[in-house]
Amino acid sequence: MKVFYGARLFDGERFLDDHALVVEGGAIRALVDFVDRPLGGETFDLGGGVLSPGFVDWQVNGGGGVLFNAEPTVDAIARIAHAHRREGVTGFLPTVVTDAPDVLASALTAARKAHVRVPGALGVHVEGPFIDPSRKGVHPAEYIRPMREKDAGALIAMRAGVMVVTLAPASVPLELVRRLADAGIVVSLGHSDATAEEASAVFDAGARAATHLFNAMSQLHSRAPGVVGAALADSRVVCGLIADGEHVHPAACRAAFAAKGPGGIALISDAMPPAAGGPDTFEMQGRRMTRVGNRLVDENGALAGAAITLREAVRYATLTLGLPLASALTMATLTPARLLGLDGRIGRLAAGFAADLVHLTEALDVAGVWVDGKGVQEADERA
């Protein structure tokens, strides 16, 4: 048994003061008043700060110098997990972007194996190739293609744990959107120039998310609301948002938060290899990507993913955007867990939930991380 106290507890929605968290066998046993904490066992006086559920990041391309597309293996997923875990991420989706068919196949196989071998590897996020060429961003145009029946069948067959598929109606007919959603895949609308009406039809067909809101999608205009307007207006939709000060203007971030609330925005890192301690440059599909200040760009200056971790997104949301810390933490814990259908197991501090925890200082630095109740070093030894 482990007993944590001395910090404010954030249960996924609210703060609890003068409480203790009791962990046993890798799961949370109880949250109790400090005076009622059980005696004996291993005790952790955290000495201030916040004890929160571990962060859940549903869009991680890489980190710590590793790019999943370049190394679609279980070992690469483990190294990415290791890098982000030290930044408080205890659950994530390795994300494969548009690439050659053999890369996608290898990534799906690796993610299927990693789901049972790598702590925190929750499944996979497939971002392309079934997107709109007109909103491709840095995705290579030569690999973008329409989804066929056999593509949908292959994705369904390879799902292990959570699978998110980012797609656009320009490349995927509504009947295949329905087929994926009915099979338990989280369908997300992204890299799309769809009209608001087309986007709403995708949501009606079962899509439940929007990938990196505002980026690589049709924008909100008064008489043409686009994907952005459709996603903001639909209470069924959870919007991923890169809060790094580069991808989205602060005023646009605040507008999205005002429209959706913390239950409708899931912070994401969209992390590339420079995140979580990686070098400033890397190669992606034969192109050189570079971190310039807080921006990560290709040779033409186009944004190419991000160089942040989810902890840095939480810090930006609170210290720069001025959001309440509780809201920012919800968007990094409970909301993504709910989107992924895992809010009965992770994303909360509650009895029966996994003891995936992050201890943050008052300055929102990471002071400690536990996965299934084990400290980060123990979790790394399991990987």
Side-chain angles (χ1 to χ4, degrees), residues 13-380:
E13 296 177 291
R14 62 192 176 117
F15 285 106
L16 300 172
D17 293 312
D18 299 317
H19 275 66
L21 183 76
V22 183
V23 171
E24 192 166 30
I28 296 171
R29 193 174 88 183
L31 282 77
V32 298
D33 288 333
F34 175 74
V35 295
D36 296 326
R37 70 192 186 282
L39 302 178
E42 192 175 2
T43 61
F44 295 83
D45 183 349
L46 300 175
V50 173
L51 185 67
S52 166
F55 301 142
V56 180
D57 193 344
W58 60 285
Q59 191 162 352
V60 181
N61 307 288
V66 183
L67 177 64
F68 187 40
N69 270 69
E71 300 181 60
T73 65
V74 174
D75 179 67
I77 294 173
R79 285 183 282 145
I80 294 169
H82 171 83
H84 284 270
R85 187 181 299 123
R86 294 182 178 273
E87 286 285 292
V89 175
T90 57
F92 78 106
L93 291 183
T95 300
V96 57
V97 302
T98 302
D99 212 321
D102 63 316
V103 173
L104 175 57
S106 295
L108 292 173
T109 299
R112 188 178 182 89
K113 294 177 180 177
H115 176 58
V116 296
R117 297 183 190 176
V118 178
L122 303 175
V124 68
H125 181 168
V126 180
E127 187 187 357
F130 313 111
I131 58 175
D132 191 333
S134 68
R135 292 285 185 171
K136 63 183 178 59
V138 297
H139 289 229
E142 62 267 31
Y143 295 125
I144 296 172
R145 59 185 177 84
M147 181 181 288
R148 298 159 293 185
E149 288 279 352
K150 68 177 184 179
D151 296 314
L155 290 170
I156 292 167
M158 289 300 292
R159 183 172 74 92
V162 178
M163 180 182 285
V164 173
V165 175
T166 291
L167 51 76
S171 292
V172 183
L174 290 177
E175 57 267 27
L176 292 186
V177 174
R178 292 190 188 93
R179 183 179 174 192
L180 295 175
D182 289 345
I185 289 174
V186 179
V187 177
S188 186
L189 179 56
H191 286 277
S192 173
D193 205 34
T195 66
E197 292 75 17
E198 290 168 335
S200 293
V202 173
F203 298 140
D204 288 341
R208 295 193 282 121
T211 297
H212 45 52
L213 184 70
F214 296 110
N215 298 116
M217 62 178 59
S218 48
Q219 298 299 299
L220 170 61
H221 301 289
S222 59
R223 291 180 298 280
V227 173
V228 171
L232 291 178
D234 196 323
S235 62
R236 299 170 297 180
V237 176
V238 173
C239 299
L241 184 70
I242 309 169
D244 65 351
E246 298 291 344
H247 279 78
V248 183
H249 190 282
C253 286
R254 294 188 183 101
F257 297 143
K260 303 293 287 187
I265 300 288
L267 296 177
I268 55 172
S269 69
D270 200 21
M272 286 290 186
D280 287 341
T281 62
F282 67 100
E283 293 290 322
M284 179 176 174
Q285 299 164 328
R287 295 168 292 167
R288 188 173 182 82
M289 308 294 178
T290 306
R291 174 165 37 193
V292 181
N294 288 329
R295 293 174 66 84
L296 187 60
V297 297
D298 69 6
E299 294 143 331
N300 298 315
L303 282 172
I308 62 166
T309 64
L310 214 53
R311 178 192 63 82
E312 291 168 308
V314 168
R315 174 181 276 176
Y316 178 82
T318 54
L319 301 185
T320 300
L321 299 179
L323 295 183
L325 179 57
S327 295
L329 289 174
T330 294
M331 292 187 291
T333 57
L334 181 57
T335 299
R338 191 181 76 249
L339 170 65
L340 303 181
L342 300 175
D343 53 323
R345 181 167 67 84
I346 62 174
R348 292 183 185 271
L349 300 187
F353 279 64
D356 294 347
L357 316 169
V358 58
H359 176 211
L360 300 171
T361 68
E362 297 294 340
L364 300 182
D365 294 318
V366 173
V369 181
W370 294 262
V371 176
D372 291 332
K374 298 178 174 62
V376 68
Q377 184 174 350
E378 296 173 275
D380 289 341

